[in-house]
Amino acid sequence: KGCKLVGCGSAVPTLQVSNDDLAKIVDTSDEWIPVRTGIRNRRVLTGKDSLTGLAVEAAKRALQMAQVDPDDVDLVLLCTSTAEDLFGSAPQIQKALGCKRNPLAYDITAACSGFMLGLVSAACYIRGGGFNNVLVIGADALSRYVDWTDRGTCILFGDAAGAVVVQACDSEEDGLLGFDLHSDGDGQRHLNVPITEKESDHALGSNGSVLGFPPKRSSYSCIQMNGKEVFRFTARCVPQSIEYALQKAGLTSSSIDWLLLHQANQRIIDAVATRLEVPPERVISNLENYGNTSAASIPLALDEAVRSGKVKSGHIIAASGFGAGLTWGSAIVRW
Ligand code: ACO
């Protein structure tokens, strides 16, 4: 059995935050940020906007393009590190979409690589049998975990959601041509959002008795990143991972139509494209408008490229996600 991508969609919050806006709160500028990162604007969740709401919007658009009824969805994978419920948000999306058969829905947490893991997981479910339509959503709101006093990180991130529908097909039509996935827990120290723990002062039970131990309470702190180390990791691992995925697909970088990387930094995108000898006109980038949207960045950029007519039916895309964990992964897909 094969699987193919049959629809995509995306959604972003309405509030746009420019580099000049950020220069009012931290010591930075609209010169430094574009030169070092390629970013000019990002979207930020505010007011009544929710990440779950964005994910539902993106999913609806993907289902509409795919002409798949929510009742025919067999699995919903929500790739996010910023779920609005510690227990996961995917079932809420399944409910909001009105998938009446109660298909399985669960979260995948792998930061900026999440969407690649979701895509490959969808393919594995379909190839294993019993699943025909899998909705893969990448959605993150890292603005909630940004330290707005840290100019090294607050300029980088934005909020968004993107989705694709992966559908079962005959093996001759297979659209996932090769993939390669990795993680390295040793690099976790370079990029993380640790929990802060404190002993609870509510050890007193409802009957007035006190527990024999102080239970812990925890919450998440802010994004902590060693940008230089993360940059080095991408230069070392991303081109190699794409080359492995291409090898598995029996292709070389000269035979791809598009290179679509996680939108973290234009310098990373340019360096990987140069290493793989992919010319700039075959590189997809929308980082300028949205910043690093974590698990959403690849489906968001894909959706824009498809809807603008850049990516056409039959085009081969080399996609790669990388980020916290550390995790990284690549897939060669035919649109
Ligand atoms: N504005 C102005 N100056 C700044 C800013 C800013 N926003 N941020 C840092 N600087 C200063 C630094 O303080 C430093 O000053 P100094 O020389 O006086 O000490 C100088 O600029 C250079 O700082 P570096 O950190 O060396 O800058 P670098 O060129 O490495 O760029 C950046 C920093 C953009 C963060 C880069 O390292 C990067 O993009 N790394 C990859 C990060 C990444 O992709 N992370 C996301 C992974 S995805 C995920 O899973 C979440």
Side-chain angles (χ1 to χ4, degrees), residues 61-132:
R61 287 174 190 156
L63 287 171
Q64 199 173 31
M65 186 189 284
Q67 296 186 314
V68 169
D69 192 276
D71 286 349
D72 294 327
V73 171
D74 301 302
L75 173 65
V76 179
L77 298 175
L78 173 65
C79 311
T80 186
S81 295
T82 53
E84 283 158 341
D85 184 330
L86 189 64
F87 293 149
S89 294
Q92 291 164 58
I93 292 167
Q94 177 247 51
K95 177 175 171 264
L97 290 173
C99 307
K100 292 199 191 68
R101 290 187 297 125
N102 291 339
L104 173 65
Y106 65 92
D107 291 22
I108 292 178
T109 303
C112 304
S113 310
F115 179 75
M116 297 312 299
L117 271 66
L119 185 64
V120 173
S121 302
C124 293
Y125 273 102
I126 289 173
R127 287 173 180 173
F131 293 83
N132 287 316

Side-chain angles (χ1 to χ4, degrees), residues 55-265:
V56 169
E57 269 316 298
K60 279 183 179 167
R61 287 174 190 156
L63 287 171
Q64 199 173 31
M65 186 189 284
Q67 296 186 314
V68 169
D69 192 276
D71 286 349
D72 294 327
V73 171
D74 301 302
L75 173 65
V76 179
L77 298 175
L78 173 65
C79 311
T80 186
S81 295
T82 53
E84 283 158 341
D85 184 330
L86 189 64
F87 293 149
S89 294
Q92 291 164 58
I93 292 167
Q94 177 247 51
K95 177 175 171 264
L97 290 173
C99 307
K100 292 199 191 68
R101 290 187 297 125
N102 291 339
L104 173 65
Y106 65 92
D107 291 22
I108 292 178
T109 303
C112 304
S113 310
F115 179 75
M116 297 312 299
L117 271 66
L119 185 64
V120 173
S121 302
C124 293
Y125 273 102
I126 289 173
R127 287 173 180 173
F131 293 83
N132 287 316
N133 290 302
V134 181
L135 192 52
V136 183
I137 306 164
D140 263 315
L142 284 179
S143 69
R144 288 182 166 154
Y145 299 95
V146 152
D147 174 355
W148 294 101
T149 67
D150 175 14
R151 66 178 181 173
T153 52
C154 76
I155 56 145
L156 296 173
F157 300 103
D159 305 336
V164 296
V165 179
V166 188
Q167 193 168 65
C169 62
D170 293 337
S171 51
E172 312 83 72
E173 286 182 86
D174 197 16
L176 179 63
L177 309 177
F179 66 85
D180 174 71
L181 302 174
H182 295 278
S183 64
D184 173 14
D186 188 46
Q188 184 262 356
R189 62 206 148 98
H190 301 314
L191 180 56
N192 50 62
V193 183
I195 55 168
T196 46
E197 290 186 325
K198 63 172 188 183
E199 287 179 358
S200 169
D201 47 5
H202 294 292
L204 199 63
S206 61
N207 65 1
S209 305
V210 176
L211 276 179
F213 58 90
K216 283 182 176 181
R217 280 282 172 269
S218 50
S219 57
Y220 288 101
S221 53
C222 292
I223 297 170
Q224 299 179 359
M225 183 180 78
N226 180 334
K228 280 208 182 322
E229 285 298 337
V230 176
F231 208 105
R232 275 192 205 112
F233 141 70
T234 61
R236 199 174 58 244
C237 298
V238 179
Q240 194 181 51
S241 171
I242 296 171
E243 273 164 1
Y244 285 155
L246 281 166
Q247 265 173 32
K248 287 180 190 163
L251 297 170
T252 63
S253 59
S254 61
S255 39
I256 61 168
D257 295 290
W258 298 105
L259 180 65
L260 172 49
L261 303 185
H262 165 52
Q263 307 283 295
N265 183 317

Side-chain angles (χ1 to χ4, degrees), residues 296-314:
S297 87
I298 292 174
L300 172 64
L302 174 69
D303 186 45
E304 282 198 354
V306 167
R307 287 176 195 267
S308 69
K310 254 185 177 182
V311 170
K312 295 184 177 33
S313 177

